[in-house]
Amino acid sequence: MRAFVSRDMASVGLGADEVAAALIAAGVEVVRTGSRGLFRIEPLVEIETPDGRVGCGPVAADEVAAVIDGTHRNRIGDVAKLPFFASQQRFTFARCGIVDPLSLADYAAHGGWIGLDRARRAPPAEVVAMVRESGLRGRGGAGFSTGIKWQTALDAPGDAKFIVCNADEGDSGTFADRMLMEGDPFCLIEGMAIAGHAVGAARGYVYIRSEYPFAIETMRAAIALAAERIAPFALEVRVGAGAYVCGEETALLDSIEGKRGQVRAKPPLPAIAGLFGKPTVINNVLTLAAVPFILANGAEAYAAIGFGRSRGTMPVQLAGNVRNGGLYEIGFGVTLGELVDDVGGGTESGRPVRAVQVGGPLGAYFPASMFDLPFDYEAFAAAGGLIGHAGVTVFDDGVDMMRMARFAMEFCAAESCGKCTPCRIGSTRGVETLDRIIAGDRPDENVALLRDLCDTMRHGSLCALGGFTPFPVLSALDHFGEDFGAADIAGPVE
Amino acid sequence: MKTEDPRIGRVRALAAAYHAPDGLLPLLHDVQAAFGHIDDIFVPAIAEALNLSRAEVHGVITFYHDFRRVPAGRHVVRLCRAEACQARGARAIEAAAVERLGVAMGATRADGAVTLEPVYCLGMCATGPNALVDGVPVSRIDGARLDRLAAEILA
Ligand SMILES: Cc1cc2nc3c(=O)[nH]c(=O)nc-3n(C[C@H](O)[C@H](O)[C@H](O)COP(=O)(O)O)c2cc1C
Ligand code: SF4
Ligand code: FES
């Protein structure tokens, strides 16, 4: 008997290792996979049968006998038929949770390397054109056209060029990069090799945050296994050291070079003078991992899905206090309410949804009254927020939004790279000002001061850490102003 | 002359794998993995090996939250404080962890049993509150789970 059990970090956090060990002790052959992406059913065990895989989950280690004899109380059947999965459009995450992440045979059997082989038969300019026509935009947050970025690097003169994958994924509420690296690492490797061919780069780096030990291990192993397949392109993993700002692309480059991760002034663009001063394409994990699909299936197949200028799919991450938390890949245009209520199933606590933060610590908080917002870069910008890396963090009515505004300022102060005053000093002033509001000290006056401070940070910061921290703060003020009255109105800190 | 701390020779041996300034972060990770922290007395050897100034090396060590200049406790609990875990009760769990482990956030217990550190997201944001306990992920931490963890750690 063969069973599939995820070794995704979040599944392991829920006990998947113990379940796998119990299955092995019971004589079952266990294949460790990535996670399918619905954490309510993890640890998930899927048993191979002539009619396909039969899932049970969640499963505890002392329940494996019931899984084996088919009587487990959480028997699901075909996991792919659950509405959570059946309604997705999995372009990037097609293999994740299904294949053995480190099996080259599995990868090839599930459509791997078609994109790279096709790319290598075409001139670089043609590959760049395909990526541009797909409409793919950077999934790291800024939403910049990937095709235009690659074109700039292709056109830049240079004896050496680099591909850098931004796997710093520091935003709370996001885990898609991690899941892909753990569950389908060859997909990212293939995307990077395609990028190398497209712009003329022979070397690449994957910069992974240190908080992701499983992803680091899996990527290193996968790179070693795929080295021959992607040669002469060569890849290396670099590990971050716990600095959120190193997710900013120029700080990340400085970090790879062995320096403090401080933001560089632009220009020059990294595509012209990036790593070690050479033309460098720096893209997010999800951006690069979308590329094999585009090459294999054509730019039109990708661009056919989406909304407005946001083309293709987005691996949305449902996080926080949400019943069906996990990874949900879907074409742009789905509304925030569909994601939170229909897909997410509302809060896990069963209490009403009060606020949803989209796009990590620099993203705005939205109330349920704005749930008709379509998932689209432009629509979110117009609503005073951002999609960012598509983390959707749900809070129930127990949340104190004044506390969350304070946290945003505190986080900015802790993670500021220190290069510019509005961010470095402004965030500390922001914490102090919020502390006065929390203490009930002249709330009206101090709220006005806080808004001024946000304005200064918004317009005077070099990068989005200082520049966008006002999004969570101002949205909390604008949509949840009732929390900013006086301390006794806001209630005690939980 | 004072004899050299024998660890410095081991730092030099680790540094032999790296030749250029961009080897600094990987080397610092190696040193911390080997000794549990990056002692100030290692800095000259690291600087020399990579052809950097001591000030540059010191600047990098102090910039990154991961690098410690003093030893950690026998166990390290890195508890997530970021938004998605807060949405699932992480603030209360943090207060309880401080109490049950007998150590302030960001500090090491006087008897060296445990270090409690904040971490801002572990990428397990649908199943918080989360922690890495000696590198092992632990999710859905509630009072009972915390009690078991504390008992194991303080045993
Ligand atoms: C403070 C800060 C943190 C960031 N963190 C990340 C990150 O963790 N991952 C990421 O891909 N982009 C991050 N970005 C965005 C990058 O600067 C950059 O836009 C991105 O890597 C470009 O790749 P893309 O075009 O594929 O999105 C961050 C930006 C800022 C200002
Ligand atoms: S805004 Fe903050 S993080 Fe960004 S460059 Fe300025 S000081 Fe550094
Ligand atoms: S916010 Fe705690 S794991 Fe992401």
Side-chain angles (χ1 to χ4, degrees):
Chain A
M1 182 183 264
R2 224 153 73 111
F4 300 84
V5 179
S6 156
R7 70 173 304 270
D8 178 281
M9 184 166 155
S11 309
V12 171
L14 295 169
D17 280 354
E18 290 77 5
V19 172
L23 284 165
I24 291 166
V28 179
E29 181 193 342
V30 174
V31 179
R32 301 302 294 268
T33 61
S35 174
R36 292 226 184 214
L38 175 60
F39 292 107
R40 183 169 56 74
I41 61 170
E42 294 281 2
L44 170 70
V45 178
E46 289 183 83
I47 303 280
E48 198 169 53
T49 76
D51 308 320
R53 296 181 191 179
V54 175
C56 294
V59 171
D62 56 10
E63 298 168 353
V64 299
V67 173
I68 293 166
D69 68 24
T71 60
H72 194 273
R73 65 200 153 91
N74 294 331
R75 190 183 159 96
I76 296 165
D78 182 354
V79 174
K81 293 216 173 84
L82 286 178
F84 183 87
F85 294 108
S87 58
Q88 296 194 40
Q89 290 162 308
R90 286 211 165 183
F91 288 5
T92 302
F93 278 81
R95 282 175 292 260
C96 187
I98 296 168
V99 296
D100 173 349
L102 293 176
S103 162
L104 283 165
D106 270 14
Y107 189 64
H110 287 79
W113 309 122
I114 294 173
L116 179 61
D117 290 342
R118 201 160 283 173
R120 284 185 168 171
R121 283 195 300 270
E126 212 170 281
V127 177
V128 173
M130 255 182 105
V131 171
R132 196 170 52 214
E133 282 154 23
S134 75
L136 178 64
R137 295 165 72 177
R139 302 293 188 234
F144 188 77
S145 158
T146 306
I148 292 176
K149 185 182 278 189
W150 288 20
Q151 186 73 54
T152 309
L154 172 62
D155 294 342
D159 50 347
K161 297 181 186 180
F162 296 104
I163 308 297
V164 173
C165 172
N166 188 339
D168 202 49
E169 196 166 66
D171 290 356
S172 168
T174 67
F175 43 82
D177 295 352
R178 181 187 64 66
M179 279 186 60
L180 189 100
M181 289 188 286
E182 293 182 18
D184 194 12
F186 296 131
C187 179
L188 173 58
I189 291 170
E190 183 179 357
M192 292 185 75
I194 294 170
H197 173 73
V199 308
R203 262 199 96 69
Y205 292 87
V206 187
Y207 185 94
I208 310 178
R209 64 200 299 258
S210 61
E211 292 86 346
Y212 284 1
F214 290 34
I216 293 165
E217 193 190 310
T218 306
M219 280 310 302
R220 282 195 170 134
I223 288 169
L225 288 167
E228 223 171 289
R229 190 66 176 76
I230 62 171
F233 188 69
L235 273 177
E236 185 181 324
V237 169
R238 286 300 176 92
V239 179
Y244 176 75
V245 74
C246 284
E248 195 283 333
E249 55 188 11
T250 60
L252 187 152
L253 297 177
D254 269 15
S255 184
I256 295 181
E257 291 179 12
K259 302 174 190 150
R260 300 155 66 94
Q262 281 192 311
V263 176
R264 302 178 185 173
K266 278 182 259 184
L269 290 172
I272 291 168
L275 189 62
F276 306 116
K278 307 291 185 192
T280 301
V281 163
I282 174 160
N283 275 130
N284 174 253
V285 173
L286 300 181
T287 313
L288 290 161
V291 170
F293 176 94
I294 293 165
L295 266 289
N297 299 282
E300 310 73 41
Y302 195 77
I305 284 191
F307 181 95
R309 290 181 45 231
S310 308
R311 308 314 309 171
T313 61
M314 189 72 220
V316 174
Q317 298 123 88
L318 296 172
N321 191 342
V322 63
R323 196 171 115 77
N324 299 320
L327 185 119
Y328 190 79
E329 183 175 352
I330 188 80
F332 284 97
V334 61
T335 68
L336 188 53
E338 283 166 341
L339 286 172
V340 173
D341 292 332
D342 303 345
V343 179
T347 64
E348 185 172 306
S349 60
R351 302 194 56 87
V353 174
R354 174 127 190 270
V356 178
Q357 186 179 32
V358 182
L362 309 177
Y365 287 98
F366 295 106
S369 61
M370 294 174 80
F371 271 11
D372 55 357
L373 257 182
F375 225 73
D376 163 56
Y377 291 100
E378 280 66 36
F380 268 69
L386 45 86
I387 288 182
H389 191 49
V392 173
T393 301
V394 181
F395 294 79
D396 73 10
D397 59 358
V399 68
D400 175 350
M401 294 307 295
M402 184 164 60
R403 284 270 151 197
M404 300 318 295
R406 186 190 187 281
F407 179 81
M409 284 291 189
E410 189 189 354
F411 184 75
C412 181
E415 299 296 331
S416 169
C417 84
K419 201 143 184 172
C420 44
T421 317
C423 168
R424 181 169 41 95
I425 308 287
S427 52
T428 303
R429 292 285 165 277
V431 174
E432 292 163 3
T433 308
L434 274 153
D435 279 341
R436 285 198 295 275
I437 301 170
I438 290 168
D441 176 8
R442 291 160 296 152
D444 292 348
E445 207 175 296
N446 278 310
V447 163
L449 188 66
L450 185 63
R451 286 188 181 276
D452 268 358
L453 206 54
C454 284
D455 198 55
T456 307
M457 289 174 71
R458 181 89 186 84
H459 298 288
S461 298
L462 185 58
C463 86
L465 181 48
F468 289 176
T469 292
F471 279 140
V473 177
L474 292 175
S475 60
L477 276 169
D478 290 342
H479 306 308
F480 307 93
E482 62 276 19
D483 284 12
F484 292 80
D488 52 327
I489 297 174
V493 183
E494 72 279 27
Chain B
M1 213 182 96
K2 234 177 85 185
T3 50
E4 189 182 84
D5 187 311
R7 292 175 301 171
I8 293 176
R10 286 176 60 203
V11 170
R12 282 203 199 91
L14 289 171
Y18 305 99
H19 308 286
D22 75 294
L24 182 56
L25 254 72
L27 174 58
L28 292 175
H29 278 301
D30 290 354
V31 170
Q32 182 150 307
F35 302 102
H37 73 291
I38 303 168
D39 205 289
D40 284 347
I41 63 165
F42 301 164
V43 170
I46 293 169
E48 196 181 321
L50 297 183
N51 205 11
L52 294 163
S53 74
R54 292 177 189 190
E56 282 169 314
V57 174
H58 179 80
V60 168
I61 294 170
T62 50
F63 180 84
Y64 293 97
H65 300 304
D66 277 5
F67 298 133
R68 20 172 141 260
R69 295 164 64 199
V70 291
R74 288 186 290 282
H75 298 279
V76 176
V77 177
R78 306 185 71 190
L79 187 64
C80 180
R81 302 195 140 146
E83 291 90 335
C85 280
Q86 287 187 44
R88 302 178 55 88
R91 275 175 197 262
I93 286 299
E94 179 177 329
V98 164
E99 193 211 316
R100 283 175 223 187
L101 294 174
V103 61
M105 190 51 144
T108 300
R109 241 171 85 115
D111 63 1
V114 59
T115 298
L116 179 63
E117 285 180 340
V119 60
Y120 293 91
C121 193
L122 293 165
M124 312 193 289
C125 320
T127 50
N130 296 311
L132 274 182
V133 179
D134 298 325
V136 177
V138 184
S139 295
R140 289 198 209 277
I141 300 174
D142 54 14
R145 193 120 206 227
L146 193 62
D147 282 339
R148 281 201 305 278
L149 278 174
E152 284 167 29
I153 285 170
L154 301 176

